[in-house]
Amino acid sequence: GAGVSQSPRYKVAKRGQDVALRCDPISGHVSLFWYQQALGQGPEFLTYFQNEAQLDKSGLPSDRFFAERPEGSVSTLKIQRTQQEDSAVYLCASSLATPGTYGYTFGSGTRLTVV
Amino acid sequence: DAKTTQPTSMDCAEGRAANLPCNHSTISGNEYVYWYRQIHSQGPQYIIHGLKNNETNEMASLIITEDRKSSTLILPHATLRDTAVYYCITQKTSYDKVIFGPGTSLSVIP
């Protein structure tokens, strides 16, 4: 597709429920990133993939957060046993793995509300 | 922590140039300066990037000081649609993780 697609656009989860957020990057983009954005804050890095390899997961806030990209294209961010503090917009971005090229292309995000 | 510092907010009159400053005094020689903006309820959008030379595209101009310790993003004729949060970041490659700061909230006033 022409851009990065994220689904669902909005998700309401009851506390304790598991959720799965999907990201379809731009075709051919090797790098894929997940960010978490709380209201009024800048995006916070969660994790990074190069193809199917998860090279950096230092930003995942707890072991309830898990991300995968098994075939090097679509990625899923899973949050187990959701808590109210998980409420945020989750942004996915992809990029070419070439220095000095255009920056990330972000999706519109998934707004997760835990009630 | 973000490696750049930006003013928290700025106002600009519609039709005038908006000049958004950014300090990146610890930038290393192989790091690029990238600018993004985020309009309410959307993901950040790439605007422009540069290494040493000034750059211009259809959206904006980027002026980087000779010592590369600061830069200015220029929107030559600001419109109401330019109201957004503008993020300045430094990055070695497009696959480095980006650390976003709080950015500058630009309000374009009619």
Side-chain angles (χ1 to χ4, degrees):
Chain A
V4 176
S5 177
Q6 291 189 247
S7 60
R9 187 77 173 89
Y10 302 94
K11 176 69 179 178
V12 178
K14 290 185 178 178
R15 192 171 57 181
Q17 186 179 353
D18 297 349
V19 298
L21 312 180
R22 177 186 169 103
C23 173
D24 274 279
I26 292 174
S27 178
H29 276 197
V30 170
S31 301
L32 185 145
F33 305 83
W34 283 99
Y35 284 80
Q36 180 190 59
Q37 187 170 27
L39 192 63
Q41 307 291 319
E44 297 272 348
F45 171 80
L46 292 177
T47 187
Y48 155 56
F49 290 86
Q50 190 162 338
N51 295 306
E52 68 278 4
Q54 189 174 19
L55 298 186
D56 188 339
K57 54 182 180 179
S58 61
L60 295 176
S62 77
D63 58 7
R64 297 186 295 104
F65 286 71
F66 172 76
E68 59 183 8
R69 192 186 186 197
E71 297 179 357
S73 57
V74 171
S75 177
T76 304
L77 177 67
K78 298 179 179 178
I79 309 173
Q80 297 177 322
R81 306 180 302 281
T82 52
Q83 305 293 316
Q84 283 191 318
E85 61 263 28
D86 301 334
S87 295
V89 175
Y90 290 85
L91 294 163
C92 175
S94 68
S95 76
L96 293 168
T98 306
T101 57
Y102 299 116
Y104 297 0
T105 302
F106 280 86
S108 295
T110 294
R111 181 177 296 278
L112 173 65
T113 304
V114 181
V115 297
Chain B
D1 290 343
K3 297 185 290 183
T4 63
T5 54
Q6 300 176 251
T8 303
S9 63
M10 294 180 64
D11 290 341
C12 177
E14 188 179 17
R16 305 297 289 266
N19 298 287
L20 291 88
C22 178
N23 252 320
H24 33 79
S25 58
T26 61
I27 193 171
S28 59
N30 57 355
E31 282 187 303
Y32 291 78
V33 179
Y34 280 81
W35 283 82
Y36 292 82
R37 74 179 182 185
Q38 187 171 26
I39 295 170
H40 184 60
S41 296
Q42 296 181 20
Q45 175 194 22
Y46 164 83
I47 302 173
I48 198 167
H49 74 283
L51 184 62
K52 296 180 183 177
N53 300 322
N54 299 336
E55 302 287 345
T56 296
N57 63 20
E58 65 278 4
M59 290 182 69
S61 295
L62 174 60
I63 308 298
I64 303 174
T65 57
E66 194 170 342
D67 63 7
R68 302 208 327 120
K69 292 185 177 181
S70 65
S71 61
T72 301
L73 179 75
I74 300 172
L75 308 178
H77 305 288
T79 71
L80 299 179
R81 288 177 295 179
D82 293 323
T83 292
V85 177
Y86 288 77
Y87 298 101
C88 165
I89 62 105
T90 60
Q91 193 176 8
K92 288 181 185 175
T93 68
S94 60
Y95 45 87
D96 275 348
K97 71 184 183 189
V98 169
I99 307 298
F100 287 88
T104 296
S105 178
L106 175 69
S107 297
V108 179
I109 312 299

